Amino acid sequence: MASRVALKTKSKGAKGGAKPADERSAVKCLKEWSTWTVKKAKVITHYGFIPMVIIIGMSSEPKPSISQLLSPI
Amino acid sequence: MATLVPPATTAPPPPSPDSKPAEPEKVDYMDLPCPIPYEEIHRESFMSLKPELFEGLRFDFTKGLNQRFSLSHSVFMGPTEVPSQSAEVIKIPTAHYEFGANFIDPKMMLFGRILTDGRLNARVKCDLSENLTLKANAQLTNEPHMSHGMANFDYKGSDFRTQLQLGNGALFGASYIQSVTPHLALGGEVFWAGQHRKSGIGYAARYNTDKMVATGQVASTGMVALSYVQKVSEKVSLASDFMYNYMSRDVTASLGYDYILRQCRLRGKIDSNGCTAAFLEERLNMGLNFILSAEVRIDTYCFFFFFFFFFQLILCQPPQAIEQSTGF
């Protein structure tokens, strides 16, 4: 009895082994890619958000001048 | 010969003003007003009872380059609370300079602040269509795993509002609020935090008339919050608030007042924890605002006082109200 059960599980393992491996690598790939994207987006936002707001503001009407941007008064 | 002129048929005389209030107004259930957003359900009591009490000195200078774009410089010196394991609150004196850029358009609002230690606070509010709004905010730091970001999609219907919230750390939330009668609105929310493996559901109700607002909120995290605000006159309102956590058996009740006068706004409150606070905002001059805040905590024998000068210089138009900068 025990040996039959053991044989059954072995054959199941051999058949099922090929499919999950593909799926696992696809899911892993997707996770790695999304983590990489989020990390890069965080760095871009951290350095680029304030310059982006300044560029959008400087190009809105009426256009202010660079001297107004830099002077403290 | 004089003839009797029959009286011309005229319209029936208008009803006297006394008879009108006696009839109840007919409610059109198809035309109910749009309720306020779910997260702002306690808005009136929050504004009256929870002013931004701080400790230290802060100086703010906002310079407007045109009607929509402005830069701000802010200096803060004072103790900041550090989270600690023990019940005691640890405060470390800090000082920082903050540079900010704001762009305010009817359709899009961008708000960015960067501190000397590298932290960035960014907020974006964008009207994607007439009824759909995107709001996003982020606090980014150089330290790993300490950054947070959240995005909200709000949809406004004719008599309902719904919101979907997505945050980092697999945080999902959704809320819905519906006007049931012209004065009563009911709503519910549900959230799921993947990182902390927590989820919760909550319900809220809000009843308001011209003179008062009463709200109640219950959540499965154990929170029960009730509030009542009475508008005594145009300038004065009184507020009370009751918070109970049925998991941790924590109770807090507070009572406060809010005086909105022409040049200043004065708010004060007293708490069941023995905390008394007062907050004064005064417009000293065109573009110069002054804030004075004091808080006395009897349970921990702590006293906080705060002075804040806010100077706003706009070259072409009168300064925008403070509410606009703190509104969203």
Side-chain angles (χ1 to χ4, degrees), chain B residues 249-262:
Chain B
R249 305 273 189 211
D250 217 1
V251 178
T252 306
S254 55
L255 210 60
Y257 62 87
D258 190 351
Y259 279 69
I260 302 179
L261 306 171
R262 218 174 353 119

Side-chain angles (χ1 to χ4, degrees), chain A residues 42 45-47 49-50 52-54 56-58 60-65 67-69 71-73, chain B residues 61 63 65-66 69 71 99 101 103 110-114 118 120 122-124 140-142 147 315:
Chain A
K42 186 223 162 202
T45 313
H46 202 161
Y47 286 103
F49 187 77
I50 299 241
M52 180 189 83
V53 176
I54 290 176
I56 291 177
M58 293 298 276
S60 66
E61 293 299 323
K63 284 205 176 54
S65 63
S67 59
Q68 277 182 327
L69 179 71
S71 80
I73 52 149
Chain B
F61 171 57
K63 179 183 166 188
L65 274 75
N66 65 22
F69 179 52
L71 297 174
F99 172 73
F103 178 75
L110 300 169
F111 179 93
R113 292 273 182 276
I114 187 139
L120 173 75
R123 287 192 186 180
V124 174
L140 304 177
T141 60
N142 285 326
S147 308
L315 297 177

Side-chain angles (χ1 to χ4, degrees), chain B residues 8 21 37 44 63-64 76 91 109 120 124 139 153 156 161 177 187 198 208 215 249 251-252 255 259 265 287 290 316:
Chain B
E44 281 82 5
K63 179 183 166 188
F76 172 73
K91 293 200 178 194
M109 190 182 107
L120 173 75
V124 174
Q139 280 100 43
F153 293 92
K156 181 172 85 164
R161 278 191 205 246
I177 184 163
K198 274 191 192 157
N208 70 333
T215 64
R249 305 273 189 211
V251 178
T252 306
L255 210 60
Y259 279 69
R265 182 172 184 181
F290 175 61
C316 38

